[in-house]
Amino acid sequence: MRAILATLYYLVVFVGMIILGVPYIIYKGYIRGHKEEITNVCQFFFKNIAFKLFRIKIKIEGEENIPKGRKGFVIVANHQSFLDINVIWPAIGNAAFMAKASLWKAPVFGWVISSIGCIPVHKNPRMNAGMGKLVAERIKNGYNFAVFPEGHRTEDGHMLKFQNGIFRMAKDQNFDILPITLVNTGEILPKVKWSIRGGEVRMVIHPMVKASDYADKSMAELRDELHDLVESAMPYKQAELAQAKLDAANGTKEA
């Protein structure tokens, strides 16, 4: 049954892209000239249609950390599920993504993600030259970008190491970073099996990391600190820390 529901979910997303997305892209992006606002339709679609149909809810912690105006920054988040992309729009606002270049080969879909401002990431690093400058220019024009620095979805819910790309760009271009922890997306729409179930996604929005905050840090320090910050809100990490405190307390008593 859950496999059928998963098929229906992807079908609903595809149909929504065709029926709502394509006309809105043409109107908002090509007639009105506001491509940075195209994903308004994604906010509406997932919040009012897809998530209600499939009984998916978002619990947001730290919403006060979202800047007023909700634009002009890079979102850095962990990655467990296709659902990660879907929940960012209704919770945070407009956002384009960096995605693997092969997605641009898909008919219609490639045109859609290009139109909303997404940037292809190529396997050959030389083909990614100038990407940081492009991200910075689009941020100045009102875009947000969401990036999943693990590079691909984790299969067991435990975060992978962050890759260097976005942090090297940040050091070069000095943009603000909004760290986010996504909890339970992999349980609702997992990578490892064709299934979906209703449930609650917990989104922890950490304080904004401004360019001035990391000006004196190396790229590696910035990368690792943000990884640890995002991971700190994951249930398994909180359990590890709680156990470590308990062990330390027991050790003190025995001594």
Side-chain angles (χ1 to χ4, degrees):
M1 182 62 181
R2 288 186 178 179
I4 296 174
L5 288 175
T7 301
L8 289 174
Y9 181 79
Y10 288 111
L11 181 61
V12 166
V13 171
F14 178 77
V15 171
M17 180 182 70
I18 299 299
I19 295 177
L20 293 178
V22 170
Y24 196 79
I25 287 171
I26 294 171
Y27 168 73
K28 196 71 173 183
Y30 293 93
I31 296 177
R32 298 298 300 273
H34 290 287
K35 289 188 176 182
E36 76 282 0
E37 297 178 3
I38 287 175
T39 52
N40 280 333
V41 72
C42 300
Q43 298 175 50
F44 170 82
F45 172 75
F46 284 102
K47 181 178 181 180
N48 298 291
I49 299 176
F51 288 172
K52 286 187 176 181
L53 284 174
F54 292 88
R55 298 181 294 109
I56 297 171
K57 297 180 180 180
I58 307 174
K59 179 183 179 181
I60 303 175
E61 299 175 20
E63 190 168 7
E64 68 277 6
N65 293 319
I66 303 174
K68 293 181 180 179
R70 295 181 178 246
K71 61 182 180 180
F73 53 87
V74 170
I75 298 165
V76 167
N78 59 305
H79 199 18
Q80 302 179 37
S81 169
F82 174 77
L83 193 63
D84 298 337
I85 297 172
N86 305 162
V87 299
I88 284 175
W89 281 314
I92 306 297
N94 283 313
F97 295 84
M98 294 181 186
K100 56 185 181 181
S102 59
L103 294 177
W104 268 254
K105 297 178 181 179
V108 183
F109 185 70
W111 174 80
V112 167
I113 57 178
S114 182
S115 296
I116 67 176
C118 295
I119 297 176
V121 179
H122 301 273
K123 291 183 178 180
N124 184 345
R126 294 182 180 180
M127 298 179 68
N128 297 323
M131 187 182 297
K133 185 177 180 180
L134 179 58
V135 171
E137 288 176 352
R138 292 192 178 175
I139 286 175
K140 289 178 181 178
N141 290 326
Y143 284 86
N144 295 324
F145 269 88
V147 182
F148 303 109
E150 291 165 280
H152 55 270
R153 293 168 293 169
T154 177
E155 295 185 357
D156 63 2
H158 285 65
M159 283 178 55
L160 307 172
K161 291 182 178 180
F162 278 178
Q163 298 179 11
N164 295 335
I166 190 62
F167 306 105
R168 185 177 290 117
M169 295 179 207
K171 289 294 294 181
D172 290 341
Q173 300 297 329
N174 302 312
F175 41 68
D176 296 339
I177 300 173
L178 186 66
I180 290 176
T181 307
L182 299 172
V183 180
N184 207 37
T185 54
E187 295 294 322
I188 293 174
L189 187 64
K191 173 185 177 180
V192 294
K193 60 181 178 180
W194 195 259
S195 173
I196 191 172
R197 65 173 178 81
E200 182 178 83
V201 173
R202 177 172 164 245
M203 176 182 288
V204 180
I205 304 172
H206 302 279
M208 180 74 76
V209 179
K210 295 186 176 295
S212 58
D213 296 333
Y214 62 81
D216 296 329
K217 296 177 181 177
S218 68
M219 181 276 296
E221 288 174 326
L222 174 63
R223 177 200 65 204
D224 294 344
E225 285 183 11
L226 284 178
H227 176 279
D228 292 347
L229 176 61
V230 172
E231 190 180 39
S232 68
M234 295 294 289
Y236 72 85
K237 194 64 178 180
Q238 293 178 335
E240 289 175 6
L241 293 173
Q243 185 61 50
K245 288 181 180 179
L246 181 61
D247 293 342
N250 290 335
T252 302
K253 290 179 180 179
E254 292 175 2

